[in-house]
Amino acid sequence: MNIKENIDYILEQLPKGVTLVAVSKTKPIELMEEAYKCGIKDFAENKVQELLEKHENFHSDVKWHFIGHLQTNKVKYLVGKVHLIHSLDSVKLLNQIEKSFGKANEVANVLIQINIGREATKSGMLVEDLSEFISALESCEFVKARGLMVIIPKGNEQSNRYYFQKTKKIYEDLKNTSYKNFCMEILSMGMTNDFKIAVEEGSNMVRVGEGIFGKRI
Ligand SMILES: *Cc1c(COP(=O)(O)O)cnc(C)c1O
């Protein structure tokens, strides 16, 4: 397993304008260093504690992405540390981000996570809850929604395409609206096994873990 080869292979397949986010959860700093040497500056974690430790011990020009389920009581720790939160999925969490980031007079950049497969076991908001969420967002001062994130249900290529297209459609529909604190610039979809299809279906940010760093235990 060679991290540089993995990254070269992925980048070859990404058109211009698509950002590769290296998902480094559970992986040590030494392996992340290899990715950094290849020019990767975007790293993602799904646990607050792990992000904080790595933030403390890794290069200061890294853009940290938070992609895990975020508990309201942990939001305050991300202030000043995170470039983009991909997993905003409730009004309750929105209000907490507004409060914690507001205290530091800092704007939080977020993506709205949609539970596109309507899976009971997955986080993310249901499409029908978006309008209530957007109204709440409009009264915020310290939160800017820059796009959408999805984790699609497991399936074959055909079902992957179906969920990516479904997400792209929501993204485009929302793009044609104008709400305060809301603009659709980032569509975060696609992981190791499906990033190519995701990009074909309109993703402009892919989150790849095992495809760069090898299997997680
Ligand atoms: C772990 C994780 C990824 C990366 O998954 P791989 O299959 O290792 O590429 C992407 N997005 C989220 C939200 C994750 O939790």
Side-chain angles (χ1 to χ4, degrees), residues 23 25 46 67 149 151 191-192 207-211 216:
V23 178
K25 62 189 186 195
N46 69 339
I67 59 174
M149 186 274 257
I151 304 170
M191 322 199 319
T192 297
R207 313 175 306 268
V208 180
E210 294 193 333
R216 282 180 301 272

Side-chain angles (χ1 to χ4, degrees), residues 132-144:
E132 186 200 341
F133 177 86
I134 292 170
S135 323
L137 179 67
E138 284 204 287
S139 55
C140 287
E141 264 187 89
F142 298 99
V143 185
K144 299 264 181 270

Side-chain angles (χ1 to χ4, degrees), residues 63-127:
K63 296 177 195 161
W64 294 98
H65 297 248
F66 188 79
I67 59 174
H69 179 66
L70 183 55
Q71 290 168 275
T72 48
N73 63 342
K74 302 257 173 84
V75 170
K76 57 178 181 285
Y77 303 115
L78 292 179
V79 177
K81 309 275 163 73
V82 75
H83 170 72
L84 187 65
I85 298 172
H86 291 229
S87 43
L88 177 50
D89 65 355
S90 69
V91 172
K92 184 173 166 231
L93 181 57
L94 171 70
N95 290 336
Q96 186 60 54
I97 295 175
E98 168 74 5
K99 200 166 146 192
S100 297
F101 279 72
K103 260 188 198 158
N105 206 24
E106 183 182 321
V107 170
N109 289 299
V110 305
L111 303 180
I112 303 167
Q113 183 178 351
I114 309 279
N115 185 351
I116 196 71
R118 310 182 75 87
E119 295 169 285
T121 53
K122 285 221 178 97
S123 36
M125 95 179 55
L126 297 174
V127 186

Side-chain angles (χ1 to χ4, degrees), residues 9 13 18 32 37 43 57 71 126 167 206 211:
Y9 171 77
Q13 300 176 78
V18 178
M32 294 167 64
K37 281 200 202 116
F43 288 85
N57 294 298
Q71 290 168 275
L126 297 174
T167 310
V206 295

